[in-house]
Amino acid sequence: MERLQKVMAHAGIASRRKCEDIIEQGRVKVNGTTVTELGTKVQSTDLIEVDDVPIYREEPRYFLLYKPKNTISAVSDDKDRPVVVDLIKDVDERIYPIGRLDFDTTGLLLLTNDGDFANLLMHPSYQVPKTYIAKVSDIPTEKGMQQLRRGIKIDGKKTAPAQAKVKSINRENRTSIIELTIHEGWNHQVKKMLEAINCPVSKLKRERLGFLDLGNLNPGEYRELTAFEVDKLRKMAEK
Ligand code: URA
């Protein structure tokens, strides 16, 4: 069940605030009955009419994108840089990314037009593990790896315990590949955590989000999530 003004705004009638005015003006009917109460909740089977014209309600859509490098995790960019939404073709619904990956980060990014689902997944208490593979320009010490695992102070806050593994070391170039699984989603979190142990990131990829991975996708490719996957993510978040 969703609030009437939210459903109307989502269908492109007007902003949520303007939709509230339209409801109060008595211009909205739900299943043939005029509704002027702002708290009214509706479900997907309800017929909503504004000025006696039925509104078109978007179907919820859910995509898993392999975000390529040099794309912005947004629906538009004031500097006209490529945005992730443009990679999803033949979709009329107004989808947007759930959270963000940095411009130069690649990997798994979810997109949807379902605001409740996006809010649920982005809520700070949502603890879905996110796994990143980072190429760093140094060799981490065991102490540094332990700090990552126990939690490390960045921007005055301590990160939750994480899983951290050294996947490989190139002693000649003094670079390493580190796998890091974190549970929060702070801004530039992985880069800041690795910077804090003196291993600046030169390349970053998100490989997994909970039980989802990139499968056979190549950068720039995407697929729709199955209904099962959407329900499972929802259940995990609601726990
Ligand atoms: N952490 C980062 O530092 N960057 C990302 O894009 C994602 C997580």
Side-chain angles (χ1 to χ4, degrees):
M1 298 279 271
E2 284 194 302
R3 290 167 90 83
L4 180 56
Q5 59 266 42
K6 183 175 170 190
V7 174
M8 287 167 60
H10 213 229
I13 304 299
S15 69
R16 223 178 267 191
R17 180 69 201 88
K18 284 239 168 66
C19 287
E20 291 178 355
D21 293 341
I22 295 173
I23 295 169
E24 286 182 324
Q25 288 159 8
R27 293 165 55 193
V28 182
K29 285 184 189 153
V30 177
N31 301 325
T33 304
T34 302
V35 165
T36 51
E37 284 249 347
L38 291 183
T40 304
K41 297 223 167 152
V42 289
Q43 54 192 12
S44 55
T45 48
D46 288 330
L47 171 69
I48 301 163
E49 293 163 286
V50 177
D51 300 333
D52 293 318
V53 179
I55 69 168
Y56 165 71
R57 298 172 72 177
E58 285 188 356
E59 280 297 312
R61 306 287 297 268
Y62 308 89
F63 295 94
L64 186 164
L65 169 72
Y66 187 158
K67 177 192 174 294
K69 224 179 144 145
N70 302 340
T71 46
I72 302 269
S73 299
V75 291
S76 64
D77 181 52
D78 49 12
K79 294 191 195 111
D80 251 359
R81 289 168 296 182
V83 293
V84 289
V85 164
D86 291 343
L87 295 165
I88 314 280
K89 306 289 180 205
D90 300 323
V91 177
D92 294 329
E93 291 83 4
R94 284 159 300 161
I95 55 165
Y96 51 87
I98 304 180
R100 55 192 297 275
L101 292 176
D102 294 337
F103 187 63
D104 57 353
T105 300
T106 63
L108 196 159
L109 185 65
L110 298 180
L111 299 100
T112 188
N113 60 343
D114 180 340
D116 288 341
F117 182 75
N119 288 340
L120 198 62
L121 261 65
M122 284 196 292
H123 196 273
S125 64
Y126 188 78
Q127 296 286 312
V128 69
K130 300 163 208 59
T131 301
Y132 293 86
I133 303 289
K135 182 173 182 194
V136 299
S137 8
D138 212 331
I139 299 169
T141 59
E142 190 41 46
K143 182 166 170 248
M145 294 303 288
Q146 281 301 347
Q147 282 178 292
L148 295 177
R149 290 182 193 120
R150 290 202 190 112
I152 192 163
K153 254 207 170 157
I154 54 170
D155 301 334
K157 271 191 299 182
K158 197 170 174 196
T159 58
Q163 284 88 52
K165 250 195 288 199
V166 179
K167 301 275 282 182
S168 65
I169 290 176
N170 184 328
R171 293 194 186 276
E172 216 173 294
N173 300 338
R174 283 200 76 76
T175 59
S176 323
I177 306 288
I178 297 177
E179 183 182 286
L180 187 60
T181 301
I182 60 170
H183 299 266
E184 308 99 332
W186 306 345
N187 244 358
H188 313 303
Q189 183 169 347
V190 172
K191 289 178 185 168
K192 285 180 179 168
M193 287 173 77
L194 291 166
E195 180 80 47
I197 64 154
N198 299 316
C199 288
V201 171
S202 59
K203 223 171 164 184
L204 187 61
K205 176 182 175 188
R206 179 151 75 188
E207 279 218 324
R208 282 194 297 282
L209 182 113
F211 57 89
L212 295 171
D213 62 28
L214 290 163
N216 297 326
L217 295 177
N218 292 309
E221 292 181 346
Y222 60 91
R223 69 172 177 87
E224 290 213 47
L225 292 182
T226 64
F228 178 76
E229 289 170 328
V230 173
D231 284 348
K232 197 164 165 184
L233 284 167
R234 228 185 239 125
K235 286 252 159 62
M236 283 173 78
E238 281 164 356
K239 258 194 205 154

